[in-house]
Amino acid sequence: MRTQGMRTQWQLFLAFLRVGLLGFGGGPSMIPLVRAEVVTRYAWMDDAEFGDVLAIGNTLPGPIATKMAGYIGYRVGGLGGCVIAVLAQILPCIVAMVALLGLFTRYRDQRWIEGMSQGVVPVVMVMMAQLTWDFWQKSRAALGWIASLIMGAVAGGLIYGLDIHPGLVIGAILVAALLRPERNRRRKEASS
């Protein structure tokens, strides 16, 4: 039992260490990496649960990747798992910042430094596209493609057209989803 707990903590550390080491481009670029570790590699949750964590995490203030590490770490390994996951994710960034900032400052005008940062962008783009496709499939399976398209268009219009914070849009959808099952249950009770 204790060995299993230690093994889980070690897996949490490795999973979020990889995310922290490879997550170039900020929090959103880390999301596909977190999914790859949490859903694909270790199967600590399925895509639906991961989508819920991502949606709720987006409604709260602070960096999304750190919030996800804290929650997933807590869920998988308790309070110790939460601390281990957050530390494993942020320590590589801190060490890299301290170690590489001097190097970057010294060679910032070199073409290879510019090429490094620009070369990562297409890779992150592909990972985000894959994540978008996965969420499209999940939404289409749950709501149908017409409702998914309409909700996506409305959310895009609110976020990018009217500059409404994504957290408010997600929060409104969560409130609507919380209210919806109650109405359906009343209809079922009335018909029986």
Side-chain angles (χ1 to χ4, degrees):
M1 186 78 174
R2 186 172 178 177
T3 305
Q4 177 63 30
M6 294 292 288
R7 184 172 170 221
T8 300
Q9 303 293 350
W10 177 244
Q11 289 174 338
L12 275 170
F13 177 78
L14 289 179
F16 284 98
L17 182 68
R18 279 190 288 268
V19 172
L21 286 172
L22 303 174
F24 292 94
S29 68
M30 292 181 171
I31 293 169
L33 298 174
V34 174
R35 181 185 169 276
E37 295 290 338
V38 170
V39 176
T40 306
R41 185 186 298 263
Y42 291 111
W44 287 322
M45 58 181 60
D46 60 23
D47 270 324
E49 293 169 314
F50 184 81
D52 293 341
V53 172
L54 180 60
I56 292 171
N58 272 321
T59 64
L60 302 173
I64 183 68
T66 308
K67 288 182 287 189
M68 293 183 79
Y71 174 75
I72 294 167
Y74 181 78
R75 180 175 158 163
V76 173
L79 187 58
C82 173
V83 172
I84 286 171
V86 170
L87 286 177
Q89 182 163 353
I90 65 173
L91 281 180
C93 300
I94 294 170
V95 171
M97 282 290 290
V98 171
L100 296 177
L101 196 57
L103 186 68
F104 182 78
T105 302
R106 184 171 180 175
Y107 297 107
R108 76 170 49 173
D109 297 330
Q110 299 293 320
R111 291 182 64 101
W112 65 274
I113 291 285
E114 292 178 17
M116 261 176 40
S117 58
Q118 293 169 355
V120 171
V121 173
V123 177
V124 172
M125 182 184 71
V126 169
M127 293 168 67
M128 295 300 284
Q130 176 64 47
L131 189 64
T132 302
W133 177 253
D134 291 344
F135 277 105
W136 162 253
Q137 296 285 22
K138 177 185 166 193
S139 177
R140 191 176 56 86
L143 303 171
W145 68 272
I146 293 175
S148 296
L149 279 177
I150 291 171
M151 290 182 70
V154 170
L158 292 171
I159 293 169
Y160 297 108
L162 300 178
D163 201 25
I164 294 176
H165 191 278
L168 294 175
V169 175
I170 292 170
I173 291 171
L174 289 175
V175 168
L178 285 173
L179 297 176
R180 186 175 174 204
E182 186 66 27
R183 284 189 287 168
N184 289 342
R185 191 169 35 214
R186 285 182 185 163
R187 281 188 204 141
K188 286 179 184 174
E189 288 173 358
S191 64
S192 60

